[in-house]
Amino acid sequence: MQLESPARFLLNEAIFEGYRNMKILVDSSNRRLKRTPSPSPHRDYVMEVKELPVTAGAGEGRTQAVDGITRGCGKLTGFHAGYFRISLSLCGQALLWKTLSEPGGGASARSAALRHLSRSVPGAVYLLLWSVALAVLVGLCALYALRCGLRRRHVAAEFSHPVGVNYLFAPWISWLLLLQAAPAAAAPLFRPLWWVFAAPILLLDVKIYGQWFTDGKRFLSLMANPTSQMTVVGNLVGAMTASRTGWAEAATCMFSLGMVHYLVLFVTLYQRFVGSSSLPPMLRPVFFLFIAAPSMASLAWDSIAGKFDVGSKMLFYLSLFLLASLASRPALFKKAMRRFNVAWWAYSFPLTMLALAATEYAQAVKGGISDALMLFLSALSVIVVVVLVVFTVVRTGDLLPNGGDDPFAPLPPLLRLRSPDSSPREVSC
C-alpha cells in the first residue's frame, strides 16, 4: 500500500478540521435563531433583541426620559395651524379694544356709557390684552416653527389638505391685526413689518388661487369649503393694514385680489359642490367665517375710501344677514358642541370683526339703533372670548392634541427591508 506524503496528509487534516468547525458554527447559529416555519412563500425576516443588564435607577430614569420625549413629540405631531384660531381671536379683540378706547375713533358721540368706558378702563385693558395676544402669538409661532423642523412630512401633508392649507394664512393675519393694534410708539416700524407679514400672504395667493383654475385635482369646485374664506380674509386684512400705514396702491391691490376671489368663492360655496360638504361635524364652527369675510371687506373699504360709504354699508348688512342665518340654525352646530376642542375658537374671530365693523357703522350713522347694535355686538364678542378662555383654562386636556392625533397626518411612510441575499423591497408600515 502506498503511503501518503506528509504534505498531503496535513492538507487533508486541515480541510476536515475546517469542515467540522463550519458545521458546528452553522448548527449553533440555527439553534440560536430558532426560526419557525411560515406558510407564506416569502422569506421571513427575524430580528432578535438582546436586553442588556442595567441598574434599576438608571433604567427607570432612562425610561422616564424616553417617555417624556415621546409624549412631547406626540403633542408636537398633533399641533397644526388650526390652533392659530386662538391668536386670531385675541389679536382681533386687542384691535377692538383699541378702537373703542380711542377718543372719537369709532365710538359714537351719542353713547355716554361708551365715553365713560373710553376714559377709564379700556386703556389699561387694551394694553394688557395686546401684551397677552403678543405672547400667545409668539408662543404659537415658536411651536409651529418647531413642528416645521421636526415634522416636515406632517407640515407637507397639511399644505396639501383642503382645510389645513387655508389656516396657513392665520398666523400672518394675526400679526397684521396685532400690528394695527400696536401702540403709537411702534408707528415707525409699521411699513417694514407690513412687508414681512404681507409677503407670505401674497406667496400663498399665487399657489392657492393658481391651483383653483389650473390644477385639475384642485379646482375650486373640488377644494372649496368654508375655511377657504381665510384666503380672502388674509388679503382684506393686508389691504386694511396697508391703507392705515399710508400705502393706498398696495391696499387697493390686495383689496382687489381678495374681493374678486371672494365673489367667486361665495357663489361656489352657495352651490354646495363636493368640497362644501367635506367638513366633519367637529369643524362646523368654521361656518362663522361666512361672517368674517364681508365684515373685513367692509372695514378694508372704509380704510381705503376714508369713510363708511354705501359699499361698506352693503357689506356690513350682508354680514348681519349671514349672522342671523347661522344663529337661527343651532342644530347645525349641535355635534360640534358635544366636546370642547380648538374649533370652538372659530366662533370668536368673525364676531369680533363684525363688532369692529359695527363701531365704524355707528360712527357714520348717528342714532340709538346703531349705538345699540355696536354695544350689543361688542359685548357679544367679548363674552364669547371670555367663555372660550375659561374653557381653555379649565379643559386644557381637551384642547391639547393627543399623541398622533393629527387631522392632517400624512400616510404611513414606506420602510425598506433587505434580506441577506436579495435586493431591497418596500413594505408599508
Side-chain angles (χ1 to χ4, degrees):
M1 181 177 64
Q2 185 178 3
L3 298 175
E4 290 182 340
S5 64
R8 183 180 293 277
F9 175 79
L10 292 176
L11 179 61
N12 290 336
E13 286 292 327
I15 292 174
F16 178 78
E17 186 68 20
Y19 173 79
R20 187 168 65 87
N21 293 337
M22 181 63 69
K23 187 174 183 301
I24 293 173
L25 181 62
V26 171
D27 292 339
S28 63
S29 299
N30 289 335
R31 286 193 303 270
R32 188 167 59 251
L33 287 175
K34 298 178 181 180
R35 295 181 59 180
T36 58
S38 173
S40 173
H42 301 290
R43 178 181 297 273
D44 295 328
Y45 292 85
V46 180
M47 179 170 52
E48 293 185 348
V49 179
K50 185 177 181 181
E51 297 184 358
L52 298 177
V54 295
T55 59
E60 293 176 359
R62 197 171 301 172
T63 302
Q64 293 176 358
V66 171
D67 291 343
I69 295 174
T70 303
R71 287 193 299 268
C73 292
K75 298 292 186 183
L76 188 62
T77 300
F79 181 82
H80 50 82
Y83 282 83
F84 283 98
R85 297 184 184 101
I86 302 174
S87 63
L88 281 174
S89 301
L90 295 179
C91 294
Q93 279 292 309
L95 182 58
L96 175 63
W97 280 98
K98 180 184 179 181
T99 303
L100 295 177
S101 63
E102 287 178 347
S108 174
R110 294 178 179 268
S111 177
L114 193 56
R115 286 202 309 269
H116 175 71
L117 193 64
S118 64
R119 292 172 183 172
S120 56
V121 180
V125 172
Y126 148 67
L127 290 176
L128 177 61
L129 186 56
W130 187 87
S131 303
V132 171
L134 176 62
V136 171
L137 181 55
V138 169
L140 292 175
C141 289
L143 287 175
Y144 199 79
L146 195 61
R147 172 184 165 93
C148 291
L150 300 179
R151 292 290 184 268
R152 296 180 181 178
R153 288 177 50 253
H154 291 77
V155 175
E158 188 174 1
F159 202 83
S160 303
H161 197 276
V163 174
V165 67
N166 297 316
Y167 275 100
L168 295 178
F169 285 84
W172 312 111
I173 297 174
S174 301
W175 281 114
L176 288 172
L177 290 174
L178 201 65
L179 182 63
Q180 294 185 55
L189 300 176
F190 281 1
R191 287 199 173 188
L193 288 178
W194 181 88
W195 278 110
V196 173
F197 304 142
I201 293 179
L202 294 174
L203 293 177
L204 288 170
D205 284 344
V206 173
K207 175 177 175 57
I208 296 177
Y209 291 159
Q211 287 178 342
W212 283 359
F213 66 89
T214 59
D215 192 343
K217 296 181 180 180
R218 297 183 178 274
F219 280 158
L220 180 59
S221 58
L222 300 176
M223 301 293 291
N225 60 81
T227 64
S228 301
Q229 296 175 98
M230 288 294 298
T231 64
V232 174
V233 173
N235 286 278
L236 296 176
V237 173
M240 180 179 175
T241 310
S243 178
R244 293 190 175 185
T245 56
W247 281 353
E249 292 301 319
T252 306
C253 174
M254 296 198 73
F255 182 83
S256 63
L257 286 175
M259 285 306 298
V260 169
H261 288 93
Y262 172 66
L263 294 175
V264 177
L265 179 61
F266 189 74
V267 173
T268 304
L269 292 174
Y270 252 59
Q271 292 177 342
R272 302 289 294 176
F273 284 117
V274 178
S276 300
S277 58
S278 62
L279 283 178
M282 184 187 71
L283 293 180
R284 295 279 175 83
V286 302
F287 274 86
F288 269 67
L289 287 174
F290 276 101
I291 304 171
S295 299
M296 183 52 65
S298 176
L299 292 168
W301 184 248
D302 173 48
S303 298
I304 294 173
K307 60 180 180 179
F308 205 85
D309 58 8
V310 176
S312 296
K313 292 177 182 178
M314 291 171 62
L315 292 166
F316 176 67
Y317 295 146
L318 175 61
S319 302
L320 291 177
F321 168 77
L322 293 173
L323 174 62
S325 299
L326 292 173
S328 63
R329 292 167 175 82
L332 180 65
F333 310 99
K334 184 177 180 180
K335 293 183 179 180
M337 302 301 293
R338 291 178 179 176
R339 181 182 177 185
F340 177 65
N341 60 81
V342 72
W344 284 23
W345 280 92
Y347 293 119
S348 175
F349 172 69
L351 292 175
T352 303
M353 294 302 100
L354 183 58
L356 276 168
T359 60
E360 300 298 331
Y361 177 77
Q363 187 179 9
V365 181
K366 308 294 185 181
I369 296 178
S370 60
D371 289 347
L373 185 62
M374 174 193 62
L375 291 174
F376 170 74
L377 292 174
S378 299
L380 178 62
S381 68
V382 171
I383 291 173
V384 170
V385 169
V386 171
V387 171
L388 289 173
V389 170
V390 171
F391 268 91
T392 301
V393 173
V394 174
R395 306 184 64 176
T396 306
D398 294 336
L399 182 71
L400 295 177
N402 297 318
D405 186 17
D406 186 0
F408 315 119
L411 294 176
L414 295 179
L415 296 180
R416 300 183 67 86
L417 298 181
R418 179 189 293 272
S419 61
D421 55 352
S422 65
S423 59
R425 67 186 182 92
E426 292 184 346
V427 294
S428 61
C429 61

